Amino acid sequence: MSSPEEKTLILKSSDNEEFLVKESVAVQCITIKNLVEDGCDLDAIPLLNVDSKNLAWIIEFMEKYADSTSTDAEKKDFDTEFVKKPFNDVLGLILAANYLNFPALMDVMCDACANEMKLWSVEQVREKFHIQNDYTEEEEKAVRAENFWAFE
Amino acid sequence: MALSQEENPFSEEKFEDGCSIEECLGRKGKNLGVEFKSEKLCEGIDDILPNDPFDMGVTLGLPNDPFGMDFNIGATVMAISGWIEDIEKNFGRKSSGFEMGEASGVKKDDNKLFSELNFILSSSMKFELEVGDEKGIDENSVDSDMDSDHGLYEHHYLLEGNTEESICFGCEKYSISSAEKKGNELVTNNNDGNEGAPPDALFFALGYLGVRDLLSVESVCKSLRDAIQNDPLLWREIRIDYPLNVKITDDALVRLTDRAQGSLHSLNLVNCFKIKDSGLKRVLEKHPRLTKLSVPGCIGLSIEGVLTNLKSFKSSGKTGIEILRIGEICSVKDDQLKELRLLLGEDKDKQRTAHKLHFYRYGQLYLSLEDECAIDVNVCPRCQHVRLVYDCPAKSCQQRPHTSQSCRGCTFCIPRCINCGRCLNDTDYEETFYLDLICLNCWMDILNCQDRVTLSPKLPYIHQQASYSLFIYD
């Protein structure tokens, strides 16, 4: 039972889906916090760069982290399960967390992405991200020579 | 020594398709550029399983097929060569494992496999597909024992169930059905249609990579190289540990720290034994905002060198180093410790109240830079030498803090369990292969744990044991 002072916000995704979230939960996103503090009196806060799929996940994450009863260990378990998503979705959440300025989510998702990348070779990084190798042969040799000491 | 007719196991053997072994060997052998001749093969077998190894005219009675496996070296050789041939046919020459070139340069062929570790994962996945679909592999050429090998790979490398947790988060990308559906199209880049450029999200993740990974990702493309080399925010806090610690020299360290463009504020060099006092001096000269310095195990440094460097660093009007970690680089005298404390501007009252318990545990032997203590070493209350001093997590020991009988001292005075950190005064313990001590409770936990696949996160010793390294110092 929420107290009468507990304000709820309506967050509207880029595809016009609306989500009801408590203000105390939503202000973990600094972007939303700034809007609220600046006296935004719109019915719904439009989040133009966040689609409904990502917003649903972000709200799930926010509610877990705003819950004062959950312990650090429980949050860590939650994080482990939360990042088990297709890699595309992980990247999408990173961009959404950056747009919303949500540091906790940013940390968790970037950590997951970095941990995954640690297992990859240079070729695999190119392949997985569809990155074109724009080095000439000489330039590539120069980069390798500069960091040769780390990989000999 | 030629086998007698009775001992020659090949003469009457034929395969299901009617060709004899010798014919098959000859055919396969030609494909591989090798000639098989039955006489030579017989001699080879004789050499492998000689009944009279020393030519003494005595038959030792060694059985040719002691385990009743219908041991047939010709069939086995042919099966293996057929297996290799199929790998090469399906995946390209390089993926067979016999030409494991560096992942340098662009792979131009259609081969979608990853190099090194992932080779086995991918090829085993494809085997699972093809064996099930009965295509690709010549059934005649695959020994039935090979199927169990596929199972072995599956157990170790295909990521399903619990093993997934330890390695990746995207279970879908490792499952066979999704690989078929997605056809290796795993990532769509959100970079506004700029094809071939790295996705924007990747640049955010760079800040979460270690130094070695950053240096590796530089080689991917120019925009990543420029981002990594020219963004000082990525280099404000630098930590060098295994495996770079054994390789980094003074020059390499200076080049790395230069990337911070003067904004370096935390430097952590763990066991970097090639770093000398002169190298550290060069770094300090270029980074006036450095406030946290950690050099545990950097035995190329001397305490006199550290003192001199810190003095000149502070004298030129800078804030100076506020947090220092020098665990075990060399022996430190009392007056040197006092001098260090003065240089660090240590507030004695704050030191006592801020003291957090420091336990002796693998992975936490050195005090972290996040701890508020100005310096990690202390005078051991028992031997009075300046060393790393540890507290005791045992309940019985915690009841007597800050007294003369408190269980607080260096590891020379109070030996401790490497896993939990408790003192070993009144408990049995084992000595590990690496000459660490482990209490019986932790030892029993580890032994019981090994029966299960998943390891408890409460026992870091098992995970970290794999990262032990042996350094040979000149």
Side-chain angles (χ1 to χ4, degrees):
Chain A
M1 198 163 79
S2 56
S3 69
E5 293 157 2
E6 185 75 75
K7 196 180 166 192
T8 52
L9 299 174
I10 300 173
L11 303 178
K12 193 159 84 173
S13 67
S14 57
D15 45 352
N16 290 326
E17 203 170 316
E18 293 187 352
F19 296 81
L20 214 61
V21 184
K22 287 186 202 166
E23 184 179 310
S24 55
V25 170
V27 293
Q28 290 177 92
C29 297
I30 313 291
T31 308
I32 297 176
K33 185 181 176 206
N34 290 340
L35 278 170
V36 166
E37 283 175 357
D38 290 344
C40 168
D41 57 356
L42 293 170
D43 291 333
I45 297 177
L47 302 172
L48 300 170
N49 282 357
V50 187
D51 64 18
S52 52
K53 181 176 81 169
N54 282 324
L55 190 52
W57 280 328
I58 291 170
I59 290 170
E60 181 194 349
F61 191 93
M62 282 199 291
E63 282 174 349
K64 184 68 181 180
Y65 268 62
D67 184 5
S68 50
T69 60
S70 57
T71 63
D72 284 344
E74 283 170 8
K75 281 181 186 165
K76 207 163 177 190
D77 290 337
F78 171 80
D79 291 345
T80 312
E81 289 304 313
F82 188 80
V83 298
K84 284 182 183 172
K85 291 176 166 58
F87 201 55
N88 262 332
D89 293 337
V90 172
L91 298 181
L93 279 168
I94 289 176
L95 291 176
N98 175 60
Y99 172 74
L100 292 172
N101 197 347
F102 187 0
L105 179 63
M106 194 70 170
D107 280 344
V108 168
M109 301 316 296
C110 285
D111 242 341
C113 179
N115 286 336
E116 187 65 16
M117 285 175 66
K118 283 173 191 169
L119 304 174
W120 297 344
S121 67
V122 170
E123 264 310 313
Q124 283 169 270
V125 172
R126 285 188 190 130
E127 216 166 305
K128 302 239 183 192
F129 289 111
H130 303 300
I131 297 174
Q132 187 73 25
N133 179 10
D134 53 356
Y135 281 121
T136 62
E137 215 173 298
E138 292 82 20
E139 285 169 338
E140 193 160 359
K141 274 186 190 164
V143 173
R144 286 182 194 279
E146 196 178 334
N147 299 328
F148 176 71
W149 66 270
F151 299 105
E152 57 178 335
Chain B
M1 187 165 91
L3 287 172
S4 67
Q5 191 60 32
E6 287 146 10
E7 288 174 306
N8 184 347
F10 302 120
S11 51
E12 302 302 319
E13 290 271 350
K14 281 190 191 297
F15 283 113
E16 288 178 13
D17 63 355
C19 68
S20 72
I21 289 183
E22 290 166 6
E23 283 175 5
C24 283
L25 284 174
R27 211 166 53 216
K28 286 281 183 186
K30 273 184 194 166
N31 289 342
L32 293 172
V34 174
E35 274 192 26
F36 283 107
K37 287 185 180 173
S38 53
E39 284 178 14
K40 262 193 188 170
L41 194 62
C42 292
E43 286 172 354
I45 291 169
D46 197 22
D47 288 336
I48 293 166
L49 298 170
N51 260 309
D52 186 9
F54 303 108
D55 215 359
M56 293 164 69
V58 174
T59 304
L60 296 179
L62 293 172
N64 278 328
D65 184 13
F67 300 107
M69 292 166 72
D70 293 325
F71 183 68
N72 185 340
I73 190 166
T76 307
V77 166
M78 196 196 61
I80 292 173
S81 54
W83 187 37
I84 294 166
E85 207 181 31
D86 286 323
I87 290 173
E88 290 171 359
K89 186 171 60 177
N90 288 325
F91 305 125
R93 183 109 180 103
K94 283 195 176 180
S95 65
S96 65
F98 293 98
E99 285 181 44
M100 295 295 282
E102 285 292 314
S104 59
V106 180
K107 277 192 182 162
K108 294 175 193 165
D109 51 26
D110 296 330
N111 176 9
K112 295 283 184 185
L113 284 185
F114 312 132
S115 61
E116 296 177 337
L117 270 179
N118 282 339
F119 150 67
I120 296 170
L121 165 67
S122 302
S123 54
S124 69
M125 281 165 59
K126 196 119 187 222
F127 270 120
E128 286 296 309
L129 277 172
E130 291 181 355
V131 167
D133 296 339
E134 293 182 353
K135 61 185 175 190
I137 292 176
D138 179 3
E139 286 183 327
N140 285 339
S141 68
V142 174
D143 193 333
S144 57
D145 288 339
M146 293 298 174
D147 289 331
S148 62
D149 286 343
H150 297 162
L152 188 68
Y153 286 140
E154 183 182 15
H155 174 68
H156 281 299
Y157 294 104
L158 274 180
L159 297 170
E160 293 179 43
N162 288 336
T163 51
E164 198 179 78
E165 293 174 351
S166 61
I167 296 178
C168 85
F169 50 77
C171 56
E172 283 185 41
K173 78 179 170 82
Y174 285 104
S175 72
I176 294 165
S177 56
S178 69
E180 275 189 302
K181 282 178 206 164
K182 291 181 184 177
N184 286 337
E185 291 289 307
L186 296 169
V187 172
T188 54
N189 283 353
N190 296 325
N191 49 13
D192 301 326
N194 193 0
E195 292 300 320
D200 297 334
L202 178 48
F203 291 93
F204 292 117
L206 290 179
Y208 294 77
L209 291 173
V211 172
R212 190 167 192 261
D213 297 315
L214 282 172
L215 297 179
S216 176
V217 169
E218 267 183 36
S219 305
V220 171
C221 69
K222 285 191 201 174
S223 46
L224 281 171
R225 177 201 63 188
D226 293 341
I228 292 169
Q229 289 186 351
N230 302 330
D231 183 1
L233 292 178
L234 289 175
W235 303 97
R236 284 182 64 198
E237 295 181 8
I238 295 178
R239 177 187 169 95
I240 308 285
D241 53 12
Y242 185 78
L244 289 184
N245 64 310
V246 300
K247 299 172 187 175
I248 193 166
T249 57
D250 286 345
D251 289 337
L253 177 64
V254 171
R255 280 203 309 273
L256 267 185
T257 51
D258 278 349
R259 293 179 178 200
Q261 295 172 28
S263 66
L264 180 69
H265 76 253
S266 169
L267 180 61
N268 192 348
L269 306 172
V270 184
N271 296 325
C272 301
F273 56 85
K274 289 186 180 177
I275 301 298
K276 306 275 183 284
D277 291 321
S278 51
L280 194 58
K281 185 181 174 189
R282 285 161 65 193
V283 172
L284 291 174
E285 280 167 356
K286 291 188 175 191
H287 298 279
R289 286 186 238 171
L290 188 66
T291 54
K292 294 184 180 184
L293 177 63
S294 171
V295 289
C298 295
I299 56 175
L301 302 174
S302 67
I303 190 65
E304 294 82 9
V306 169
L307 273 167
T308 313
N309 281 331
L310 257 56
K311 273 184 221 169
S312 55
F313 189 67
K314 193 154 187 183
S315 66
S316 43
K318 303 170 188 121
T319 322
I321 304 291
E322 292 170 355
I323 302 220
L324 178 68
R325 304 283 180 255
I326 55 165
E328 295 173 5
I329 60 171
C330 53
S331 59
V332 178
K333 295 180 194 147
D334 274 1
D335 55 335
Q336 288 169 329
L337 180 61
K338 281 180 190 158
E339 205 177 344
L340 278 172
R341 284 195 163 132
L342 265 174
L343 277 171
L344 297 170
E346 188 191 55
D347 181 350
K348 279 189 183 163
D349 292 331
K350 190 185 171 191
Q351 165 80 350
R352 269 190 221 109
T353 51
H355 171 70
K356 265 178 9 190
L357 300 177
H358 184 207
F359 298 132
Y360 181 74
R361 283 171 186 163
Y362 188 80
Q364 301 166 31
L365 300 181
Y366 302 130
L367 204 58
S368 147
L369 279 170
E370 305 312 316
D371 191 291
E372 288 177 4
C373 281
I375 191 163
D376 53 343
V377 291
N378 268 302
V379 176
C380 172
R382 301 224 176 166
C383 62
Q384 304 302 317
H385 285 117
V386 177
R387 294 212 172 102
L388 284 168
V389 174
Y390 299 96
D391 300 291
C392 192
K395 283 180 190 166
S396 51
C397 296
Q398 280 172 20
Q399 284 159 10
R400 331 170 233 132
H402 305 303
T403 63
S404 56
Q405 289 150 0
S406 66
C407 188
R408 182 175 154 74
C410 68
T411 51
F412 291 96
C413 298
I414 306 178
R416 297 190 178 279
C417 171
I418 188 67
N419 193 52
C420 64
R422 63 162 297 147
C423 59
L424 300 172
N425 295 329
D426 52 0
T427 181
D428 288 333
Y429 59 88
E430 285 281 338
E431 191 178 52
T432 71
F433 179 79
Y434 300 99
L435 304 180
D436 292 316
L437 305 178
I438 185 163
C439 71
L440 218 53
N441 285 338
C442 290
W443 186 238
M444 294 310 297
D445 284 344
I446 289 170
L447 289 177
N448 291 336
C449 222
Q450 281 173 351
D451 294 334
R452 291 179 276 138
V453 175
T454 50
L455 301 175
S456 163
K458 293 175 193 167
L459 294 168
Y461 186 77
I462 297 167
H463 299 288
Q464 287 148 351
Q465 194 172 22
S467 67
Y468 262 108
S469 303
L470 200 60
F471 299 120
I472 300 170
Y473 300 127
D474 288 332

